[in-house]
Amino acid sequence: MLRWTVTFIILAIVAAIFGFGGIAAGAASIAKILFFIFIVLFIISLISGRRKI
């Protein structure tokens, strides 16, 4: 998931350099959403991974 976030951030930066504002904004918003999903899943895995059987 973090790899997809980095991919969309790089796509947004490249699109912004070449002047494609709409594509850059879309890629940046997708990257932001994926990053927050990654953070939530990471915190859930930290909490649930500490169970002792």
Side-chain angles (χ1 to χ4, degrees):
M1 175 104 32
L2 195 56
R3 188 180 328 175
W4 283 103
T5 303
V6 172
T7 302
F8 278 109
I9 283 292
I10 291 172
L11 178 67
I13 291 170
V14 170
I17 289 173
F18 288 118
F20 298 109
I23 295 172
S29 65
I30 290 172
K32 188 188 312 182
I33 291 169
L34 288 175
F35 179 72
F36 285 124
I37 290 172
F38 169 76
I39 292 295
V40 168
L41 291 176
F42 178 70
I43 291 171
I44 290 172
S45 69
L46 281 179
I47 292 171
S48 66
R50 296 182 182 236
R51 291 188 204 162
K52 293 183 180 179
I53 299 175

